[in-house]
Amino acid sequence: MGYVIARILGLDIRRRGSGNIGATNVLRTAGWTAAIVTLLGDVAKGYVATSIGGQAGTGPGWAATAAVLAVIGNCWPVFLRFRGGKGVATALGAFLRITPWALIPAGIVWGSLVASFRFVSLASMCAVLGLPLAILVLGYPKPLALAGLAVTAIVIARHHENIRRLLAGTEARFGARAPEPAAQAMPRGPGSSR
């Protein structure tokens, strides 16, 4: 969704900021309106995909599989040469449909960490880490907990660059603007000074 929104605004989001097509990078490069539209679109993508999966057959396994596939599709979209987002917003939409109560502790963790440290990546990883346990503790079927575990692994793996930047102290904080792309060097004509 972020790629489409940015293209409408005349930007290639993959060449701006972190290069990610998710809502956080869209916020840094294109502003709040574009970021909110991106976020809502990615959440809706997960919710709709899981709704369709749940109607495909009986039992929670269908919805669980749909949730994982929706996140995979967001992270590795074929039409973008497998360079997609981090899967967080799509996972939010998917689990909002199938395990809504399990998102409450995840939301509290996410909000607390963003407010305290202003690192969306750190907040997202910590929030998703507790999702499978919350699903189990709240009594949801085990296939949904397995889906939560699979999605957690995907989201953490997709944040490998963020983890490196966090450890190096170079990760951008929430609300920071992305630097403008460097201007290309102008070709030098004969007689131009160096």
Side-chain angles (χ1 to χ4, degrees), residues 92-162:
L92 171 61
F95 288 94
L96 184 63
R97 169 69 176 80
I98 58 177
T99 62
W101 294 108
L103 293 178
I104 293 175
I108 292 171
V109 168
W110 189 90
S112 300
L113 289 176
V114 169
S116 299
F117 302 105
R118 294 179 47 228
F119 290 122
V120 173
S121 57
L122 176 65
S124 298
M125 287 185 287
C126 290
V128 79
L129 278 171
L131 181 62
L133 180 60
I135 293 171
L136 275 178
V137 168
L138 290 169
Y140 287 105
K142 287 185 180 178
L144 302 184
L146 289 174
L149 188 62
V151 166
T152 297
I154 292 169
V155 168
I156 298 298
R158 291 293 290 166
H159 279 83
H160 64 277
E161 292 178 1
N162 302 86

Side-chain angles (χ1 to χ4, degrees), residues 17-136:
S18 66
N20 188 264
I21 65 170
T24 301
N25 195 42
V26 172
L27 172 62
R28 292 188 189 118
T29 58
W32 277 101
T33 301
I36 291 170
V37 173
T38 298
L39 176 65
L40 293 176
D42 284 343
V43 170
K45 183 175 16 177
Y47 191 95
V48 170
T50 309
S51 297
I52 293 170
Q55 294 171 6
T58 58
W62 289 89
T65 302
V68 176
L69 291 177
V71 173
I72 289 172
N74 175 265
C75 293
W76 296 283
V78 175
F79 60 90
L80 288 180
R81 298 181 183 178
F82 304 101
R83 288 184 57 203
K86 303 289 174 70
V88 177
T90 302
L92 171 61
F95 288 94
L96 184 63
R97 169 69 176 80
I98 58 177
T99 62
W101 294 108
L103 293 178
I104 293 175
I108 292 171
V109 168
W110 189 90
S112 300
L113 289 176
V114 169
S116 299
F117 302 105
R118 294 179 47 228
F119 290 122
V120 173
S121 57
L122 176 65
S124 298
M125 287 185 287
C126 290
V128 79
L129 278 171
L131 181 62
L133 180 60
I135 293 171
L136 275 178

